[in-house]
């Protein structure tokens, strides 16, 4: 029986954080065993906010090397760069033609990101979710692993698939969200009420997957906590709760075990231990990453073979779409 299809992607919009690792990449690794997975480096999405071209190139290769260093295997899944597969941009144009401005206007991410650059808002930021719908629908995707923050965009992808199917006849599979076993959203170390983000202006807010041990220790030490002084998991202590989630993911210990272990022990020791499990957890990934970055030929081989597979699969869908909307065959 054919495996079900999973699609997901990460933007090369900066160095990846442990939020990206825990919320996305770590789960991707498990999924490749069971599903036919397409994991994309979404560079077209990244330019919806200003990027420095040479950094974008560097970050794109970095995401690929982190995918591989984290355990994604190009023999088991398709790893590719979005701009290498023309169908993503082409389907976006067609889906734009059935997208409603009102619905795009209600997207939370657009509202939030547009606040940051009110003067020269670009149109791509507005149609970002249509591009994301194209990414997903091109591969006849069954499941999309999504965090809380992306649920609204997936809902739009489902709407567009249904709208197109109703207007032109059955063409797209309507994708379902794949709820992650461990759904923790990793929060900023400096403002634990906000998500940890690679584009945070304050570098103490995030830990990068490639951060050196000293930087990790320094950032965890400076993490905002509270004056309660007890390691307890609750919404009154968002900073501590976030550090406990991070500790739990990297150590494999449960939240209860962590609470018991640190009863009556101050935040200083707890923070030292959090930093150590993160350092230990990231060390093998960083080591593999450094080896991979010395082998650019291999990286090139992976993304070229990945884009061939992705091109083949996506063109099947795009050809159908073009025929249905009335374009003359090339
Ligand atoms: N803090 C987080 N906790 C859990 N999951 C997270 N993800 C991102 N941050 C966290 C998940 O990572 C995947 C890829 O994200 P993305 O790079 O495509 O875009 P994003 O969600 O906008 O990530 P950032 O770091 O916040 O990027 P910028 O700052 O460029 O906007 C997604 O599955 C996301 O849920």
């Amino acid at each position: 029986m054919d495996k079900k299809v999973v699609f997901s992607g990460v933007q090369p919009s900066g160095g990846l954080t442990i939020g990206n690792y825990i919320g996305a990449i770590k789960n991707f690794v498990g999924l490749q065993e069971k599903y036919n997975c397409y994991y994309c480096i979404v560079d077209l999405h990244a330019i919806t906010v200003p990027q420095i071209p040479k950094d974008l190139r560097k970050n794109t290769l970095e995401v690929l090397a982190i995918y591989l260093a984290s355990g994604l295997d190009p023999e088991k899944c398709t790893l590719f760069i979005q701009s290498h597969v023309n169908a993503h941009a082409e389907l976006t144009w067609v889906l734009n033609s059935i997208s409603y401005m009102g619905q795009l206007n209600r997207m939370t991410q657009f509202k939030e990101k547009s606040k940051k650059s009110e003067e020269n808002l670009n149109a791509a930021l507005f149609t970002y979710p249509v591009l994301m719908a194209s990414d997903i629908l091109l591969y006849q995707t069954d499941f999309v692993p999504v965090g809380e923050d992306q649920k609204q965009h997936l809902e739009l992808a489902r709407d567009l698939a249904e709208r197109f199917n109703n207007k032109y006849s059955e063409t797209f599979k309507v994708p379902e969200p794949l709820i992650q076993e461990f759904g923790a959203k990793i929060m900023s170390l400096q403002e634990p009420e906000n998500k940890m983000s690679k584009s945070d202006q304050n570098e103490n807010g995030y830990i990068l997957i490639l951060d050196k041990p000293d930087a990790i220790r320094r950032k965890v030490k400076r993490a905002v906590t509270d004056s309660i002084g007890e390691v307890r998991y609750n919404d009154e202590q968002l900073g501590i709760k976030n550090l406990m989630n991070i500790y739990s993911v990297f150590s494999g210990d449960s939240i209860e075990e962590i609470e018991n272990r640190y009863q009556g022990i101050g935040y200083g020791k707890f923070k030292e231990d959090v930093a150590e499990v993160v350092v230990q957890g990231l060390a093998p990934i960083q080591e593999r990453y450094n080896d991979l970055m010395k082998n650019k030929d291999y990286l090139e081989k992976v993304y070229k073979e990945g884009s061939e597979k992705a091109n083949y699969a996506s063109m099947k869908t795009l050809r159908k779409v073009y025929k249905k909307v009335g374009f003359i065959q090339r």
Side-chain angles (χ1 to χ4, degrees), residues 8-25 28 42 45-46 49 51 67 109 113 116 128 145-150 180 183-188 194-200 242:
S8 197
V10 173
Q11 295 187 72
S13 44
L16 298 192
T17 71
I18 57 168
N20 297 125
Y21 178 69
I22 295 169
I25 299 170
F28 293 177
V42 289
H45 281 278
V49 294
Q51 301 291 338
Y67 273 172
Q109 179 180 291
K113 289 204 170 173
K116 291 183 189 161
Y128 178 112
V146 275
E148 264 315 302
D149 54 325
Q150 291 296 332
Q180 328 248 317
K185 190 161 148 191
I186 302 304
M187 310 308 280
S188 156
N194 295 330
K195 173 175 109 142
M196 182 181 284
S197 254
K198 54 176 123 68
S199 58
D200 193 338
N242 190 37

Side-chain angles (χ1 to χ4, degrees), residues 196-230:
M196 182 181 284
S197 254
K198 54 176 123 68
S199 58
D200 193 338
Q201 295 300 316
N202 181 354
E203 63 164 31
N204 287 319
Y206 53 73
I207 297 175
L208 297 177
I209 298 176
L210 299 177
D211 265 346
K212 299 245 172 4
D214 282 351
I216 296 172
R217 292 189 188 106
R218 193 182 62 242
K219 289 178 181 181
V220 176
K221 199 169 176 184
R222 288 190 188 162
V224 167
T225 52
D226 53 70
S227 55
I228 298 174
E230 282 175 35

Side-chain angles (χ1 to χ4, degrees), residues 161-188:
E162 279 166 359
R163 199 174 300 155
F164 190 96
N165 289 349
N166 288 336
K167 188 167 178 188
Y168 297 105
S169 81
E170 203 61 25
T171 309
F172 297 119
K173 190 168 272 176
V174 181
E176 302 282 342
L178 194 67
I179 308 301
Q180 328 248 317
E181 274 169 47
F182 181 73
K185 190 161 148 191
I186 302 304
M187 310 308 280
S188 156

